[in-house]
Amino acid sequence: MVKRHRMNQNHDRPVFRFAPSPNGRLHLGHALSALENERQARETGGRLLLRIEDIDRARCTPALEKGVIADLRWLGISFDGPVFRQSEHFADYQNMLQMLIDRNLAYPAFMTRGEVRRLVSESEASGTIWPRDPDGAPLYPDRDRRRPLQERQDMLAAGMRHAFRLDMAAAVETLDAPLSWLEQTADGIVETPADPAVWGDIVLSRSDAPSSYHLSVVTDDAAQGVTHVVRGMDLLQATAVHRLLQALLGLPAPIYRHHRLLLGTDGRKLSKSNGDTALCELRANGVSPADIRVMCGF
Ligand code: GLU
């Protein structure tokens, strides 16, 4: 039996959100995603919210946020309600993290990126292939998870920099049924099995950021009453992690739709470093909002 989803039923109208990170200007891929959300909200009589995902305080600046909002306004997309900024909700993510710590499902992780890299290359040099997550990143080593409690406490007391990570094996163990999510496809809504274990011990907070993308996205989708998550195909696999966190934290599960991605001339997903597809560049070159809609296939 596949576990039934607890749907968000706080709203009669569907609730959609577009959730850009203001660590650069918007490009055509963002425009596609915003337009997909706008279209679905319009077709269903739903509401469309704007969420600024700015937990990375070093890379997300107020100037870039202004630019993102100006890009959306120029594109002609209007949003319901006030702008929701993740940087104003750090206490909420902290509460969620504490719930996981209290249940022994999260542990302090002390290894730096460099230490992880070294361990992985040493292991691979001796012929053992290190397991990787669906994005190709090495899974976090089990050293910190296995650390004796006293040692862990001593390291924390000594003020050592640390992140918090999910004890994935323990978390999956708490589930009473296999996880799945509802994916809206051209053929209707399909129940899709979720296997979060392939991501290993995902990060929940960093030493320099009080939350991770995964933790804040599930917290906010619930807090904002989001019923439909419409986002790019590149986040399809991450949905398994989101479903796990929703199950652990008792949060409702939205319906998901992962749309096509726009690819650059090199066949790769568009990125912010690929400046020639930034909306502000296109605009400066005389491209109109109507042209953008056509370029995105609308
Ligand atoms: N902030 C994410 C991004 O800009 C989107 C997250 C989501 O839609 O779940 O890629």
Side-chain angles (χ1 to χ4, degrees):
M1 248 314 265
V2 175
K3 191 174 181 151
R4 289 259 47 94
H5 298 256
R6 187 156 80 77
M7 293 297 301
N8 195 326
Q9 286 161 348
N10 296 338
H11 296 268
D12 297 328
R13 294 166 69 194
V15 179
F16 298 81
R17 76 341 186 241
F18 177 59
S21 299
N23 53 16
R25 293 295 291 262
L26 298 187
H27 54 62
L28 274 177
H30 294 111
L32 170 71
S33 204
L35 291 167
E36 289 283 359
N37 273 284
E38 182 196 51
R39 174 163 65 186
Q40 221 175 314
R42 201 182 47 234
E43 284 175 0
T44 59
R47 301 169 67 227
L48 175 57
L49 310 179
L50 176 61
R51 181 161 81 224
I52 298 290
E53 301 212 324
D54 58 351
I55 51 174
D56 183 342
R57 302 309 291 141
R59 293 174 63 216
C60 299
T61 65
L64 284 171
E65 182 193 307
K66 274 205 187 79
V68 163
I69 290 175
D71 292 339
L72 291 168
R73 196 166 295 143
W74 173 71
L75 205 50
I77 299 186
S78 53
F79 292 91
D80 298 295
V83 176
F84 182 107
R85 264 177 215 91
Q86 289 191 326
S87 56
E88 293 168 2
H89 294 269
F90 284 145
D92 300 337
Y93 314 136
Q94 208 55 44
N95 288 340
M96 293 294 178
L97 174 61
Q98 196 58 49
M99 283 169 63
L100 297 171
I101 295 173
D102 291 347
R103 289 173 64 193
N104 280 330
L105 296 178
Y107 64 86
F110 299 96
M111 291 181 79
T112 62
R113 269 175 233 242
E115 286 169 336
V116 173
R117 246 193 323 268
R118 234 177 351 263
L119 190 67
V120 170
S121 47
E122 277 165 21
S123 156
E124 296 199 329
S126 68
T128 312
I129 298 295
W130 196 274
R132 312 227 161 210
D133 71 21
D135 284 345
L139 299 194
Y140 192 71
D142 63 2
R143 188 182 285 177
D144 288 322
R145 181 165 48 80
R146 293 176 177 282
R147 213 176 274 287
L149 192 59
Q150 188 58 52
E151 196 176 306
R152 200 181 267 183
Q153 283 169 350
D154 291 346
M155 290 169 86
L156 289 175
M160 284 185 63
R161 281 168 74 88
H162 60 279
F164 273 94
R165 286 184 174 266
L166 185 73
D167 182 339
M168 180 60 80
V172 169
E173 188 88 344
T174 66
L175 301 174
D176 52 15
L179 273 183
S180 64
W181 78 84
L182 299 181
E183 178 79 16
Q184 200 170 335
T185 71
D187 301 324
I189 293 179
V190 174
E191 186 145 18
T192 307
D195 180 14
V198 294
W199 290 93
D201 290 356
I202 52 138
V203 71
L204 298 168
S205 72
R206 297 182 190 282
S207 56
D208 55 357
S211 182
S212 68
Y213 159 64
H214 296 306
L215 186 60
S216 45
V217 83
V218 295
T219 303
D220 294 340
D221 283 337
Q224 294 188 283
V226 171
T227 58
H228 292 69
V229 171
V230 175
R231 59 186 180 189
M233 208 54 186
D234 50 332
L235 290 168
L236 180 77
Q237 303 250 39
T239 310
V241 170
H242 300 168
R243 282 294 300 122
L244 174 61
L245 291 175
Q246 286 156 357
L248 296 174
L249 296 165
L251 304 175
I255 294 174
Y256 289 86
R257 182 162 82 83
H258 293 91
H259 58 70
R260 72 199 155 91
L261 298 177
L262 290 180
L263 303 180
T265 44
D266 56 0
R268 296 173 60 163
K269 180 178 107 122
L270 299 182
S271 80
K272 284 172 182 156
S273 50
N274 191 357
D276 59 354
T277 53
L279 299 184
C280 54
E281 292 286 325
L282 294 168
R283 175 187 188 175
N285 290 330
V287 175
S288 72
D291 296 332
I292 300 285
R293 287 177 188 252
V294 172
M295 288 162 90
C296 289
F298 285 77

